[in-house]
């Protein structure tokens, strides 16, 4: 199997539309892989929401790393990490790239906003953008730092979110491409695909373009395919699925003061064990534990109950 | 409002059956509180599953602390942490108690198995138990370490899980109570409540008894109430709810190559923001950010697009 | 004994000059306390240097917390943490204060520079300063967040470092005092005390003034006492002592290919054990470990060597 | 340059006696490399002492990883980590190896004691040893887990420490070698080299033998060379050097209430900057920061002091 970085590079450069599915912890990442997806979006919104904090860099960058490390350990498909603004300046980006490569995260997406960031769907027009030259420096620094040639740096353009228009978006995208970005993510929060389609029709480079159709989810996927986009990111639907299900279940259990009903609706405990790959450990115990360990004696109790053999 | 430790102490000592609902991260903890529950079970199984690892102390004890710290920060109701065996000997337990008090976790439950542990529902009969005198030393050390008088130490008796019978369970429970345990958790994995009811009928102390009816979930809750149990822990249902929903959604999105359908079934993005308490931050920005920050100038671009005011 | 926060508050408000000594890990913090000092300066420069990284926010704010948590756990005297710019905006500062209180750090000092910061002794004149209104918002947010009334927020004025002059320094100090700062740290990098003395002579408030005489170390301490400064911080001398000694010893051992000589010059291994408080653990083992644990049998080996009692 | 793992493998298999020098944080690791050493001993005693905790697994295994990650990031020579007992059973060892490889630690040494461990120089005779078959399973699991063929697993034999004699030590060493250990570390705490020399004279395999001459430091190094040992580890001398120097300096500053004297005896602040590689960052700023950033305008203050250019 190709390395995770090569897999992500191939998704970015393939001739057809590919998909990344959001995950926010090791469990959801594994479920995404089992569903058949070729790659994972390590969503900043979803990771922060899972932790119970805001998508405003309330998590330190090393706390984000901790979360994505579990995701990477739990899967064999590539993860593109939503790395916000890079968590500081070009120097912070350099450290980030080194650490991401170590934990086998295949790429990162950084956005041209200021630290600490605010989610793009919250008062986007009022959010200041980064100086594009400064942001280009981050991209260059990231590309110069990576050791694995296939590690991917995706530059997210927030000009449309901030209301600056298509020409500014194109202007910035060009700068970021020149700086070495492996792909451009053009973000939009209007409810149609008009903005991203307009951007794409003006984009005359072979540098791949990535989209996040959260707000324009009613646009048929074929439209994105036909327009030549590289990757569509389903950016937060599993987080929202989890919230929907958890709220319903918690309310039901609270009201009924019983789990008898919910037990019929959910996977059994052994499905949790399967997802944790318990079977592998049981096989490994046979391989690495001495036979004598299955005969461990517990210390005898003073009330006369004899220590018994544990099979 | 009472401190979290006092709240948990009151749940343990109240005259009626109380409930703790499992949570495994900051988000699920907040949902549990919003549903109306009075307390949270910080499940070792669910926390490890969420991280994508096994319930065999694959997480270090400080990684467990990191997880439960997010849960504690996100809620105002008490958390009883499933602290496995205490992650080592009495000295490790002492450090654990100090750290749990700092992050405002109201209590911990430790079990009389050996480190590294295996989940009680996996080959329980083959799992060796701790020397009860050694385990009692952990309880004493925990009680001597805590600074807050209401911090709760629950001793989980695994004798029934290991197939040692009621008298051994009672024998151990007595030793743990004498050592200072605030409550006994009697664990059973048979599909009826017979074992725990038998234990309770023989237990003649006022030391509260806690149960985990995962396997005997068909027993009506009124039976537990009538038998005088202190707390019933719904130990892993939200984790399993999440898995069920995530698998279904991931498969649906993968098959349809679209989020159009799922978007109709799940909470909107703004519900994520609400759970993250975005409103509080927006109010605080008005209070703590200078007015001038709403007029931040972005650096002008060299293609003549003027910097615009961000009002 | 007073709480650590109250101890620090008293140092700030006492009538005589007090001293904080730099430490950078749990060990150096304990040595500072044993030497007799009343408080510790958790130096950003020294903590980052100890970790082998730069004083440019290469450590995440949670990595800084990890370092200072060891220091706090190892000591009973108060720590004033050098918290750089607060690691972001007012919201990051709020999270920081909450976490510092949990790990019993008595106060923090924040400086009016921009994130990521550069050490004040490196090209200070070229470093931009924060908008004082924005910085005042951080101070207000910190004071509104703290739960313990005695937690101390020290505002570090970098105007002299940046070459803006005394009147700007006073202007900013006034704003920070009005915002609620418990003390002003006036920083200077010239080789005499002239700047800080000039500042102090113009400062007509009872808000305490703290200094860091690294560059003007030849000024007699009595001058600081007479001028009415509250605290002098010895900010990095132990870090530099450690470097000096380690370089010398490493070179000596490398050259001689022997430890015979160095062993005569350094404390014995048992002094390490004493600093780690091994005696307390040995006493605790007697209290909390069952007697049977001193008779543990090791598994017999198949070559006929009998397992022996461990007395 | 060879990878760190290959470097360590070569040290273990070279024809002459090699040396590993203890370090305990990023700074001391860099000083060891600058002194000329070919490799670093990541001492469990020294790392725990630096953190202010005991050498009894008071640090979680991930906290040890955090410490050694700083050391690895700060150096280009290989680190052999003192990994105690492996922090659990074979499964914990597998996770450890994966994580060590990710942070480019070249090898680990595990010892045949029980978790939680006690330092070998504290009541060693009373410490139980691991079942050699169980310990061999850890070694096998480690070797099967490593991805890099040159990652080194050193098996530390504690039989002499525990007073079990040479034949037991040889018996265990043989089992560990058969299990795949890349080297045997034979530990002794008597004040002469007699024990380790006796062991070595009986050891008829080409599997390298490593020693730790802390207690028999007066033995000339040539004796170790002539006996054919592979590596001598100077295991804690830099930690003890640091303690000696810090205690002296802290006392001197406390007594004199001045840093005037100490400033003459220690490296200047700019040596701290050099060790942090500040020069590299300054060069990188020229490369990656836009020129405009050197003209940043600070917000004007309301007292009429004009914002000035930061050139």
């Amino acid at each position: 199997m190709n390395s995770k970085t090569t897999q992500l590079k191939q998704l970015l450069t393939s001739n057809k539309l590919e998909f990344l599915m959001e995950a926010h912890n090791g469990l959801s990442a594994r479920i995404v892989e089992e569903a058949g997806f070729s790659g994972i979006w390590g969503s900043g919104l979803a990771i922060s929401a899972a932790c119970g904090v805001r998508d405003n860099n309330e998590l330190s960058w090393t706390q984000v790393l901790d979360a994505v490390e579990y995701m990477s350990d739990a899967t064999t498909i590539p993860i593109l990490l939503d790395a916000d603004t890079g968590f500081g300046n070009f120097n912070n980006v350099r450290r980030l790239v080194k650490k991401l490569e170590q934990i086998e995260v295949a790429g990162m997406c950084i956005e041209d906003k200021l630290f600490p960031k605010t989610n793009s769907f919250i008062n986007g027009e009022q959010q200041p953008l980064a100086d594009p030259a400064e942001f280009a420096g981050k991209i260059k620094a990231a590309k110069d730092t990576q050791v694995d040639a296939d590690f991917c740096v995706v530059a997210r353009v927030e000009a449309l979110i901030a209301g600056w228009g298509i020409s500014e978006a194109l202007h910035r995208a060009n700068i970021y491409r020149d700086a070495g970005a492996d792909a451009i993510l053009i973000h939009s929060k209007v409810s149609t695909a008009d903005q991203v389609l307009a951007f794409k029709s003006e984009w005359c480079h072979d540098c791949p373009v990535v989209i996040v159709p959260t707000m324009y989810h009613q646009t048929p996927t074929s439209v994105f395919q036909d327009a030549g986009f590289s990757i569509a990111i389903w950016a937060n639907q599993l987080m929202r699925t989890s919230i929907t299900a958890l709220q319903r279940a918690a309310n039901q259990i609270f009201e009924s003061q019983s789990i008898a009903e919910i037990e019929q609706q959910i996977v059994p405990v052994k499905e949790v064990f399967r997802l944790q790959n318990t079977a592998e450990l049981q096989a490994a115990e046979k391989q690495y534990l001495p036979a004598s360990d299955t005969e461990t004696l517990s210390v005898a109790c003073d009330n006369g109950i004899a220590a018994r053999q544990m099979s």
Side-chain angles (χ1 to χ4, degrees), chain A residues 97-265:
Chain A
V97 169
K98 170 164 183 164
K99 292 301 158 189
L100 289 177
E101 287 199 293
Q102 287 184 332
I103 58 174
E104 294 165 62
V105 171
M108 71 169 185
C109 176
I110 53 174
E111 65 194 34
D112 56 353
K113 291 199 295 203
L114 303 184
F115 178 91
K117 63 156 284 187
T118 298
N119 187 281
S120 299
F121 297 146
I122 301 175
N123 297 337
E125 302 80 3
Q126 296 174 22
Q127 293 186 31
L129 298 187
D131 171 2
E134 192 270 345
F135 190 71
K138 288 183 183 177
I139 297 169
K140 275 184 220 148
K143 297 305 293 179
D144 290 349
T145 299
Q146 71 185 61
V147 174
D148 181 332
D150 283 343
F151 182 85
C152 297
V153 176
V154 177
R156 172 163 151 177
V157 176
E158 291 282 303
L160 301 180
I161 296 290
W164 290 51
I166 297 286
S167 62
E168 173 68 8
L170 285 163
H171 169 69
R172 286 173 172 256
N174 267 300
I175 293 173
Y176 305 159
R177 173 185 160 274
D178 290 346
D182 296 290
I184 298 296
L185 187 158
I186 182 68
H187 204 20
S188 166
K189 60 175 185 170
V190 296
S191 59
T192 70
D194 293 354
Q195 283 189 336
V196 298
L197 290 169
F199 177 92
K200 186 66 176 68
S201 70
E202 302 269 345
W203 184 248
C204 47
H205 306 290
D206 57 2
C207 182
V209 179
V210 177
I211 51 173
V212 183
T214 303
M215 293 304 175
Y216 45 99
H217 56 260
Q218 292 182 309
T219 306
T221 301
S222 60
V223 173
F224 306 140
Q225 167 78 45
D226 295 345
F229 287 109
S230 163
I231 289 181
I233 296 175
W234 312 129
N236 48 54
Q237 288 74 25
L238 291 193
M239 166 48 60
R240 290 154 60 202
T241 294
S242 184
I243 291 172
T244 308
L246 290 177
Q247 288 179 331
R248 208 171 284 162
N251 289 334
Q252 176 187 326
I253 297 169
F254 180 74
E255 296 300 336
S256 64
Q257 297 201 344
S258 168
I259 52 172
E261 191 182 356
I262 196 86
E263 287 281 345
Q264 311 309 315
Q265 302 163 357

Side-chain angles (χ1 to χ4, degrees), chain A residues 41-59:
Chain A
W41 171 245
S43 158
L45 172 62
I47 289 171
S48 58
C51 292
V53 300
R54 299 186 191 96
D55 190 20
N56 296 75
N57 297 122
E58 292 193 348
L59 293 179

Side-chain angles (χ1 to χ4, degrees), chain A residues 289-296:
Chain A
L289 284 185
S292 62
D293 268 32
T294 59
E295 299 170 23
T296 305

